[in-house]
Amino acid sequence: MTDDTVPPAEDAAPQAPVPQAPAPQVPAEAAAICPRCAKPLDLCVCAGITPIETRLEVLVLQHPQEQDVELGSARLLTLGLARGRLKVGLSWPNLAKALGREADPRRWAVLYMGSGDDATATEPGTLRLVDKKGQTVEDPTVLADLEGIILLDGSWSQAKALWWRNAWLLKLRRLIVHPDFVSAYGNLRREPRRESVSTLEAGAYALAKLEGDDTLVERLRAPFVALVARYRAVRGNRPPRAAANRPSSEGARKPDWRGRKRRPR
């Protein structure tokens, strides 16, 4: 007669603890965040920011998933302007809700990226007012009573989402900028267009053209240029990890915010 009873398992011998790799040491300044600019303290350039008075207001709508904390420029732009404001979110019912006060959409403009063809049609060193069909509006008096401009901040796909989620943006004037300088980002940020610049640089350039004060570009860019220089000094030439999610210039489609579908090439 066989015994089918399974004998109790023997207690396993105790295992030696597996040595763990030591956690990387993060400098205290890199771990702490500046409450004003939201940058790591070792990248903070707040000491060089003095709000500049301008006639026009600037409202930056930032996508909530924009994660380029270290080199993002939107907050630096609004901190550098006495009439600058940064709002984070996906959608607002109208311009008044985004601003927090009543406003006439006809007296506001949005920096409109358009298609690659729109950007190419804009001469370097110029700002162009276009209609809903992307055609140049020749009448300069249209912008005479402008109250402010809006910029969309995030990756290309995030900015595109902001555009389509806020239908009231279609009621605003549309401005296309083509700065005549190379972005301070250099090789730290890859973009699908050569003329692409940071949110801060685009806003500074638009303000300079609209207010007739070319000094605004360098005055507003100064903290951003200092940020990039400090980043290279303490982080090297390694792009931030969040920036790796942005499209590269190779094989990337240029966004067409007018909804025109393109055949795959």
Side-chain angles (χ1 to χ4, degrees), residues 34-93:
C34 171
R36 184 180 181 218
C37 68
K39 304 289 184 193
L41 287 182
D42 62 342
L43 297 178
C44 175
V45 292
C46 284
I49 300 178
T50 301
I52 298 172
E53 292 286 347
T54 57
R55 178 181 65 84
L56 296 172
E57 292 184 56
V58 172
L59 173 64
V60 179
L61 303 181
Q62 185 180 71
H63 194 285
Q65 293 180 352
E66 165 62 10
Q67 297 176 356
D68 194 353
V69 176
E70 294 184 326
L71 284 179
S73 68
R75 191 176 296 273
L76 294 185
L77 173 62
T78 54
L79 287 175
L81 293 167
R83 306 188 70 191
R85 180 177 302 184
L86 175 69
K87 299 293 286 291
V88 179
L90 277 176
S91 63
W92 295 263

Side-chain angles (χ1 to χ4, degrees), residues 141-228:
T141 62
V142 173
L143 299 177
D145 61 349
L146 204 65
E147 288 186 355
I149 59 175
I150 293 177
L151 295 92
L152 307 180
D153 183 61
S155 67
W156 287 77
S157 61
Q158 290 167 355
K160 194 174 180 180
L162 286 171
W163 176 262
W164 289 116
R165 282 176 174 265
N166 295 276
W168 51 270
L169 289 172
L170 301 175
K171 301 178 181 179
L172 310 186
R173 308 291 185 184
R174 301 184 186 190
L175 298 173
I176 297 178
V177 297
H178 192 162
D180 52 0
F181 55 83
V182 177
S183 176
Y185 275 133
N187 60 2
L188 291 176
R189 174 72 61 82
R190 295 183 300 173
E191 298 287 4
R193 298 181 190 170
R194 289 186 301 174
E195 71 273 10
S196 297
V197 294
S198 68
T199 298
L200 179 146
E201 291 168 318
Y205 186 80
L207 279 176
K209 292 298 182 183
L210 292 169
E211 304 219 351
D213 183 359
D214 289 338
T215 69
L216 282 174
V217 173
E218 293 309 314
R219 291 160 65 195
L220 286 169
R221 279 186 88 206
F224 178 60
V225 172
L227 168 68
V228 174

